[in-house]
Amino acid sequence: MTTLKDRPHTALVVIDVQTGVVADAYQRDAVVANINTLVGKARDEGVAIVWVQHSDEGLENGSDDWQYVPELVRRDSEPVVHKTFGDSFEGTDLELVLADIGVGRLVVTGAETDACIRSTIHGAFTRGYDVTLVGDAHTTNDQSEWGAPPPEQVIAHTNLYWQFQGAPGRTAAVTETVGVSFAG
């Protein structure tokens, strides 16, 4: 259904599951385990996996906090996209990576729900991709001291509104890890 021509494939996108990003994230271990399950399933089915890795002043490229969590191991054949903005498409080669492998549908996981996940799913959708958010495979940190709702509400709200997102020729969906289908 994607509006992108000649893009029949799906990719699993793993966003910012870096040591410093998820150290204190809500349900960190369960979310990382779900992402690991999806990585295994994608590999078993021959589905592309694209890893996204953030850096900025507080998350220095090459630092221990910048590294992906040890539970998730990227293979050399799986592309990594380095970013400095919330939307994984902005200022990166993500679009080129996806175009090269004919991807028109994204299955999105990672962190943080109320920043890079939201920015990326909206960015992908407006660029013509079908976007499935895995409801139990994204997380965020507690930002309530700055006026945000607690993490569980941020995640629940994102899952709620994304399943009703709509636009001509594109689909948005939310599913749990056990229900993920890479077939489209």
Side-chain angles (χ1 to χ4, degrees):
M1 272 225 203
T2 176
T3 61
L4 301 170
K5 302 249 187 256
D6 301 317
R7 302 273 195 102
H9 302 295
T10 297
L12 174 65
V13 182
V14 184
I15 301 172
D16 302 349
V17 190
Q18 297 160 255
T19 302
V21 175
V22 299
D24 297 317
Y26 179 73
Q27 295 187 341
R28 179 230 184 259
D29 293 345
V31 168
V32 170
N34 287 340
I35 294 169
N36 210 13
T37 296
L38 292 165
V39 166
K41 181 177 180 177
R43 287 176 179 156
D44 289 346
E45 295 182 20
V47 171
I49 302 168
V50 179
W51 302 81
V52 178
Q53 195 168 23
H54 189 85
S55 63
D56 58 27
E57 291 176 7
L59 193 60
E60 188 176 326
N61 189 324
S63 69
D64 289 344
D65 282 347
W66 177 81
Q67 302 298 325
Y68 252 76
V69 297
E71 298 95 320
L72 298 176
V73 178
R74 182 183 71 85
R75 291 183 178 166
D76 290 341
S77 61
E78 297 165 346
V80 61
V81 173
H82 297 282
K83 70 179 183 66
T84 57
F85 297 101
D87 182 342
S88 298
F89 289 90
E90 291 296 329
T92 73
D93 63 349
L94 179 57
E95 175 56 28
L96 293 173
V97 167
L98 297 171
D100 283 348
I101 52 180
V103 170
R105 177 175 172 255
L106 306 180
V107 175
V108 178
T109 66
E112 288 194 62
T113 301
D114 45 355
C116 300
I117 296 296
R118 282 189 187 173
S119 296
T120 299
I121 61 177
H122 284 279
F125 201 67
T126 60
R127 286 173 174 87
Y129 292 88
D130 293 329
V131 180
T132 298
L133 177 62
V134 185
D136 60 352
H138 64 96
T139 188
T140 193
N141 285 282
D142 189 346
Q143 306 293 334
S144 59
E145 71 179 275
W146 293 283
E152 61 273 18
Q153 289 180 7
V154 170
I155 293 164
H157 179 253
T158 303
N159 290 342
L160 174 67
Y161 86 76
W162 193 252
Q163 66 185 325
F164 296 109
Q165 192 72 21
R170 285 159 278 165
T171 60
V174 177
T175 189
E176 301 298 297
T177 297
V178 298
V180 168
S181 170
F182 291 116

mmCIF file of all heavy atoms in Angstrom, residues 86-123:
data_model
loop_
_atom_site.group_PDB
_atom_site.id
_atom_site.type_symbol
_atom_site.label_atom_id
_atom_site.label_comp_id
_atom_site.label_asym_id
_atom_site.label_seq_id
_atom_site.Cartn_x
_atom_site.Cartn_y
_atom_site.Cartn_z
ATOM 1 N N GLY A 86 15.957 13.964 16.021
ATOM 2 C CA GLY A 86 14.971 12.980 16.453
ATOM 3 C C GLY A 86 14.467 12.107 15.320
ATOM 4 O O GLY A 86 14.435 10.885 15.440
ATOM 5 N N ASP A 87 14.072 12.708 14.215
ATOM 6 C CA ASP A 87 13.573 11.977 13.060
ATOM 7 C C ASP A 87 14.754 11.277 12.388
ATOM 8 O O ASP A 87 15.699 11.926 11.938
ATOM 9 C CB ASP A 87 12.895 12.949 12.096
ATOM 10 C CG ASP A 87 12.298 12.292 10.868
ATOM 11 O OD1 ASP A 87 12.659 11.143 10.545
ATOM 12 O OD2 ASP A 87 11.467 12.949 10.204
ATOM 13 N N SER A 88 14.699 9.976 12.321
ATOM 14 C CA SER A 88 15.808 9.186 11.776
ATOM 15 C C SER A 88 16.095 9.465 10.301
ATOM 16 O O SER A 88 17.133 9.057 9.783
ATOM 17 C CB SER A 88 15.520 7.694 11.952
ATOM 18 O OG SER A 88 15.399 7.365 13.316
ATOM 19 N N PHE A 89 15.191 10.171 9.620
ATOM 20 C CA PHE A 89 15.397 10.521 8.215
ATOM 21 C C PHE A 89 16.163 11.840 8.058
ATOM 22 O O PHE A 89 16.801 12.054 7.029
ATOM 23 C CB PHE A 89 14.047 10.651 7.492
ATOM 24 C CG PHE A 89 13.355 9.341 7.275
ATOM 25 C CD1 PHE A 89 12.472 8.848 8.218
ATOM 26 C CD2 PHE A 89 13.590 8.595 6.129
ATOM 27 C CE1 PHE A 89 11.820 7.637 8.024
ATOM 28 C CE2 PHE A 89 12.955 7.383 5.926
ATOM 29 C CZ PHE A 89 12.061 6.902 6.875
ATOM 30 N N GLU A 90 16.079 12.720 9.046
ATOM 31 C CA GLU A 90 16.645 14.061 8.914
ATOM 32 C C GLU A 90 18.165 14.045 9.010
ATOM 33 O O GLU A 90 18.725 13.621 10.019
ATOM 34 C CB GLU A 90 16.070 14.997 9.982
ATOM 35 C CG GLU A 90 14.612 15.326 9.792
ATOM 36 C CD GLU A 90 14.320 16.086 8.522
ATOM 37 O OE1 GLU A 90 15.167 16.872 8.040
ATOM 38 O OE2 GLU A 90 13.204 15.902 7.984
ATOM 39 N N GLY A 91 18.814 14.509 7.960
ATOM 40 C CA GLY A 91 20.263 14.630 7.963
ATOM 41 C C GLY A 91 20.982 13.288 7.954
ATOM 42 O O GLY A 91 22.123 13.206 8.403
ATOM 43 N N THR A 92 20.307 12.230 7.463
ATOM 44 C CA THR A 92 20.910 10.888 7.442
ATOM 45 C C THR A 92 20.759 10.286 6.041
ATOM 46 O O THR A 92 20.086 10.851 5.173
ATOM 47 C CB THR A 92 20.236 9.930 8.444
ATOM 48 O OG1 THR A 92 18.934 9.565 7.957
ATOM 49 C CG2 THR A 92 20.143 10.536 9.831
ATOM 50 N N ASP A 93 21.316 9.103 5.884
ATOM 51 C CA ASP A 93 21.165 8.372 4.629
ATOM 52 C C ASP A 93 20.098 7.273 4.733
ATOM 53 O O ASP A 93 20.063 6.370 3.897
ATOM 54 C CB ASP A 93 22.509 7.788 4.186
ATOM 55 C CG ASP A 93 23.078 6.761 5.150
ATOM 56 O OD1 ASP A 93 22.560 6.629 6.291
ATOM 57 O OD2 ASP A 93 24.056 6.083 4.776
ATOM 58 N N LEU A 94 19.203 7.368 5.710
ATOM 59 C CA LEU A 94 18.191 6.328 5.904
ATOM 60 C C LEU A 94 17.357 6.120 4.643
ATOM 61 O O LEU A 94 17.115 4.982 4.235
ATOM 62 C CB LEU A 94 17.289 6.641 7.096
ATOM 63 C CG LEU A 94 16.180 5.621 7.384
ATOM 64 C CD1 LEU A 94 16.739 4.215 7.595
ATOM 65 C CD2 LEU A 94 15.355 6.059 8.591
ATOM 66 N N GLU A 95 16.917 7.187 4.022
ATOM 67 C CA GLU A 95 16.093 7.058 2.817
ATOM 68 C C GLU A 95 16.844 6.300 1.717
ATOM 69 O O GLU A 95 16.281 5.434 1.050
ATOM 70 C CB GLU A 95 15.633 8.423 2.321
ATOM 71 C CG GLU A 95 14.880 8.396 1.003
ATOM 72 C CD GLU A 95 13.658 7.487 0.969
ATOM 73 O OE1 GLU A 95 13.031 7.253 2.012
ATOM 74 O OE2 GLU A 95 13.333 6.990 -0.127
ATOM 75 N N LEU A 96 18.112 6.591 1.545
ATOM 76 C CA LEU A 96 18.913 5.888 0.532
ATOM 77 C C LEU A 96 19.076 4.413 0.878
ATOM 78 O O LEU A 96 18.991 3.542 0.000
ATOM 79 C CB LEU A 96 20.276 6.547 0.386
ATOM 80 C CG LEU A 96 20.291 7.956 -0.192
ATOM 81 C CD1 LEU A 96 21.692 8.550 -0.123
ATOM 82 C CD2 LEU A 96 19.767 7.952 -1.611
ATOM 83 N N VAL A 97 19.315 4.120 2.148
ATOM 84 C CA VAL A 97 19.454 2.734 2.599
ATOM 85 C C VAL A 97 18.176 1.961 2.289
ATOM 86 O O VAL A 97 18.219 0.852 1.740
ATOM 87 C CB VAL A 97 19.788 2.673 4.110
ATOM 88 C CG1 VAL A 97 19.638 1.270 4.669
ATOM 89 C CG2 VAL A 97 21.191 3.220 4.370
ATOM 90 N N LEU A 98 17.036 2.542 2.623
ATOM 91 C CA LEU A 98 15.755 1.867 2.406
ATOM 92 C C LEU A 98 15.440 1.732 0.917
ATOM 93 O O LEU A 98 14.942 0.689 0.473
ATOM 94 C CB LEU A 98 14.640 2.603 3.135
ATOM 95 C CG LEU A 98 14.765 2.637 4.666
ATOM 96 C CD1 LEU A 98 13.729 3.580 5.263
ATOM 97 C CD2 LEU A 98 14.661 1.245 5.263
ATOM 98 N N ALA A 99 15.737 2.755 0.145
ATOM 99 C CA ALA A 99 15.498 2.703 -1.302
ATOM 100 C C ALA A 99 16.340 1.616 -1.951
ATOM 101 O O ALA A 99 15.861 0.873 -2.826
ATOM 102 C CB ALA A 99 15.785 4.059 -1.937
ATOM 103 N N ASP A 100 17.586 1.490 -1.528
ATOM 104 C CA ASP A 100 18.492 0.495 -2.107
ATOM 105 C C ASP A 100 18.000 -0.931 -1.922
ATOM 106 O O ASP A 100 18.290 -1.803 -2.742
ATOM 107 C CB ASP A 100 19.895 0.613 -1.505
ATOM 108 C CG ASP A 100 20.688 1.775 -2.074
ATOM 109 O OD1 ASP A 100 20.258 2.358 -3.093
ATOM 110 O OD2 ASP A 100 21.741 2.099 -1.495
ATOM 111 N N ILE A 101 17.243 -1.175 -0.843
ATOM 112 C CA ILE A 101 16.745 -2.530 -0.604
ATOM 113 C C ILE A 101 15.240 -2.653 -0.865
ATOM 114 O O ILE A 101 14.630 -3.659 -0.533
ATOM 115 C CB ILE A 101 17.129 -3.030 0.819
ATOM 116 C CG1 ILE A 101 16.727 -2.040 1.908
ATOM 117 C CG2 ILE A 101 18.613 -3.336 0.885
ATOM 118 C CD1 ILE A 101 17.085 -2.485 3.322
ATOM 119 N N GLY A 102 14.673 -1.615 -1.501
ATOM 120 C CA GLY A 102 13.285 -1.679 -1.939
ATOM 121 C C GLY A 102 12.264 -1.709 -0.827
ATOM 122 O O GLY A 102 11.215 -2.348 -0.947
ATOM 123 N N VAL A 103 12.520 -0.993 0.253
ATOM 124 C CA VAL A 103 11.630 -1.007 1.413
ATOM 125 C C VAL A 103 10.569 0.090 1.304
ATOM 126 O O VAL A 103 10.890 1.263 1.102
ATOM 127 C CB VAL A 103 12.433 -0.839 2.727
ATOM 128 C CG1 VAL A 103 11.501 -0.618 3.917
ATOM 129 C CG2 VAL A 103 13.304 -2.063 2.950
ATOM 130 N N GLY A 104 9.313 -0.320 1.474
ATOM 131 C CA GLY A 104 8.193 0.612 1.518
ATOM 132 C C GLY A 104 7.401 0.510 2.800
ATOM 133 O O GLY A 104 6.489 1.295 3.044
ATOM 134 N N ARG A 105 7.752 -0.470 3.635
ATOM 135 C CA ARG A 105 7.040 -0.670 4.912
ATOM 136 C C ARG A 105 8.059 -0.831 6.028
ATOM 137 O O ARG A 105 9.007 -1.597 5.897
ATOM 138 C CB ARG A 105 6.159 -1.917 4.843
ATOM 139 C CG ARG A 105 5.443 -2.215 6.147
ATOM 140 C CD ARG A 105 4.486 -3.402 5.988
ATOM 141 N NE ARG A 105 3.954 -3.779 7.283
ATOM 142 C CZ ARG A 105 4.343 -4.858 7.965
ATOM 143 N NH1 ARG A 105 5.254 -5.677 7.475
ATOM 144 N NH2 ARG A 105 3.807 -5.124 9.129
ATOM 145 N N LEU A 106 7.833 -0.098 7.106
ATOM 146 C CA LEU A 106 8.719 -0.142 8.264
ATOM 147 C C LEU A 106 7.997 -0.740 9.461
ATOM 148 O O LEU A 106 6.836 -0.419 9.726
ATOM 149 C CB LEU A 106 9.197 1.254 8.635
ATOM 150 C CG LEU A 106 9.863 2.075 7.534
ATOM 151 C CD1 LEU A 106 10.275 3.440 8.072
ATOM 152 C CD2 LEU A 106 11.043 1.336 6.938
ATOM 153 N N VAL A 107 8.707 -1.586 10.193
ATOM 154 C CA VAL A 107 8.264 -2.088 11.497
ATOM 155 C C VAL A 107 9.219 -1.443 12.489
ATOM 156 O O VAL A 107 10.427 -1.692 12.450
ATOM 157 C CB VAL A 107 8.316 -3.629 11.561
ATOM 158 C CG1 VAL A 107 7.977 -4.114 12.962
ATOM 159 C CG2 VAL A 107 7.379 -4.235 10.525
ATOM 160 N N VAL A 108 8.693 -0.576 13.352
ATOM 161 C CA VAL A 108 9.525 0.310 14.164
ATOM 162 C C VAL A 108 9.546 -0.113 15.633
ATOM 163 O O VAL A 108 8.501 -0.370 16.233
ATOM 164 C CB VAL A 108 9.039 1.773 14.035
ATOM 165 C CG1 VAL A 108 9.854 2.706 14.909
ATOM 166 C CG2 VAL A 108 9.111 2.221 12.574
ATOM 167 N N THR A 109 10.774 -0.108 16.189
ATOM 168 C CA THR A 109 11.009 -0.420 17.596
ATOM 169 C C THR A 109 12.055 0.545 18.135
ATOM 170 O O THR A 109 12.742 1.214 17.363
ATOM 171 C CB THR A 109 11.557 -1.857 17.765
ATOM 172 O OG1 THR A 109 12.861 -1.919 17.170
ATOM 173 C CG2 THR A 109 10.658 -2.885 17.119
ATOM 174 N N GLY A 110 12.205 0.599 19.470
ATOM 175 C CA GLY A 110 13.323 1.341 20.041
ATOM 176 C C GLY A 110 12.964 2.362 21.096
ATOM 177 O O GLY A 110 12.033 2.196 21.865
ATOM 178 N N ALA A 111 13.741 3.453 21.092
ATOM 179 C CA ALA A 111 13.613 4.490 22.119
ATOM 180 C C ALA A 111 13.910 5.856 21.494
ATOM 181 O O ALA A 111 14.552 5.937 20.453
ATOM 182 C CB ALA A 111 14.602 4.200 23.260
ATOM 183 N N GLU A 112 13.526 6.887 22.077
ATOM 184 C CA GLU A 112 12.533 7.033 23.116
ATOM 185 C C GLU A 112 11.193 7.348 22.481
ATOM 186 O O GLU A 112 11.121 8.110 21.528
ATOM 187 C CB GLU A 112 12.925 8.164 24.054
ATOM 188 C CG GLU A 112 14.098 7.802 24.944
ATOM 189 C CD GLU A 112 14.258 8.778 26.098
ATOM 190 O OE1 GLU A 112 13.331 8.871 26.930
ATOM 191 O OE2 GLU A 112 15.296 9.432 26.135
ATOM 192 N N THR A 113 10.148 6.777 23.049
ATOM 193 C CA THR A 113 8.802 6.893 22.508
ATOM 194 C C THR A 113 8.417 8.319 22.188
ATOM 195 O O THR A 113 7.930 8.615 21.099
ATOM 196 C CB THR A 113 7.785 6.300 23.510
ATOM 197 O OG1 THR A 113 8.124 4.935 23.748
ATOM 198 C CG2 THR A 113 6.364 6.418 22.991
ATOM 199 N N ASP A 114 8.615 9.218 23.144
ATOM 200 C CA ASP A 114 8.122 10.591 22.995
ATOM 201 C C ASP A 114 9.110 11.512 22.285
ATOM 202 O O ASP A 114 8.906 12.712 22.235
ATOM 203 C CB ASP A 114 7.731 11.172 24.349
ATOM 204 C CG ASP A 114 8.742 10.904 25.445
ATOM 205 O OD1 ASP A 114 9.727 10.172 25.205
ATOM 206 O OD2 ASP A 114 8.543 11.408 26.551
ATOM 207 N N ALA A 115 10.130 10.952 21.683
ATOM 208 C CA ALA A 115 11.089 11.774 20.950
ATOM 209 C C ALA A 115 11.389 11.101 19.607
ATOM 210 O O ALA A 115 10.674 11.312 18.636
ATOM 211 C CB ALA A 115 12.361 11.972 21.788
ATOM 212 N N CYS A 116 12.405 10.294 19.561
ATOM 213 C CA CYS A 116 12.877 9.723 18.294
ATOM 214 C C CYS A 116 11.891 8.741 17.663
ATOM 215 O O CYS A 116 11.789 8.672 16.437
ATOM 216 C CB CYS A 116 14.244 9.095 18.486
ATOM 217 S SG CYS A 116 15.459 10.329 19.039
ATOM 218 N N ILE A 117 11.160 7.997 18.463
ATOM 219 C CA ILE A 117 10.163 7.083 17.894
ATOM 220 C C ILE A 117 9.049 7.879 17.228
ATOM 221 O O ILE A 117 8.741 7.663 16.048
ATOM 222 C CB ILE A 117 9.594 6.125 18.970
ATOM 223 C CG1 ILE A 117 10.688 5.202 19.506
ATOM 224 C CG2 ILE A 117 8.396 5.334 18.424
ATOM 225 C CD1 ILE A 117 11.286 4.247 18.496
ATOM 226 N N ARG A 118 8.458 8.828 17.955
ATOM 227 C CA ARG A 118 7.374 9.622 17.362
ATOM 228 C C ARG A 118 7.857 10.389 16.141
ATOM 229 O O ARG A 118 7.177 10.427 15.114
ATOM 230 C CB ARG A 118 6.795 10.593 18.386
ATOM 231 C CG ARG A 118 5.866 9.955 19.357
ATOM 232 C CD ARG A 118 5.168 11.010 20.179
ATOM 233 N NE ARG A 118 4.390 10.389 21.233
ATOM 234 C CZ ARG A 118 3.780 11.065 22.188
ATOM 235 N NH1 ARG A 118 3.879 12.385 22.233
ATOM 236 N NH2 ARG A 118 3.093 10.444 23.103
ATOM 237 N N SER A 119 9.001 11.014 16.251
ATOM 238 C CA SER A 119 9.524 11.786 15.118
ATOM 239 C C SER A 119 9.713 10.900 13.899
ATOM 240 O O SER A 119 9.378 11.283 12.777
ATOM 241 C CB SER A 119 10.866 12.431 15.483
ATOM 242 O OG SER A 119 10.712 13.364 16.519
ATOM 243 N N THR A 120 10.263 9.727 14.101
ATOM 244 C CA THR A 120 10.558 8.837 12.981
ATOM 245 C C THR A 120 9.301 8.240 12.366
ATOM 246 O O THR A 120 9.192 8.168 11.135
ATOM 247 C CB THR A 120 11.534 7.736 13.414
ATOM 248 O OG1 THR A 120 12.760 8.349 13.857
ATOM 249 C CG2 THR A 120 11.834 6.778 12.276
ATOM 250 N N ILE A 121 8.340 7.803 13.180
ATOM 251 C CA ILE A 121 7.143 7.216 12.581
ATOM 252 C C ILE A 121 6.367 8.267 11.790
ATOM 253 O O ILE A 121 5.856 7.967 10.709
ATOM 254 C CB ILE A 121 6.248 6.465 13.604
ATOM 255 C CG1 ILE A 121 5.719 7.371 14.708
ATOM 256 C CG2 ILE A 121 6.986 5.257 14.169
ATOM 257 C CD1 ILE A 121 4.768 6.676 15.717
ATOM 258 N N HIS A 122 6.317 9.488 12.305
ATOM 259 C CA HIS A 122 5.655 10.556 11.546
ATOM 260 C C HIS A 122 6.447 10.908 10.296
ATOM 261 O O HIS A 122 5.874 11.091 9.219
ATOM 262 C CB HIS A 122 5.444 11.793 12.428
ATOM 263 C CG HIS A 122 4.327 11.635 13.404
ATOM 264 N ND1 HIS A 122 3.016 11.808 13.062
ATOM 265 C CD2 HIS A 122 4.342 11.295 14.713
ATOM 266 C CE1 HIS A 122 2.248 11.594 14.118
ATOM 267 N NE2 HIS A 122 3.030 11.272 15.135
ATOM 268 N N GLY A 123 7.770 10.990 10.438
ATOM 269 C CA GLY A 123 8.621 11.293 9.290
ATOM 270 C C GLY A 123 8.500 10.246 8.200
ATOM 271 O O GLY A 123 8.446 10.568 7.011
#
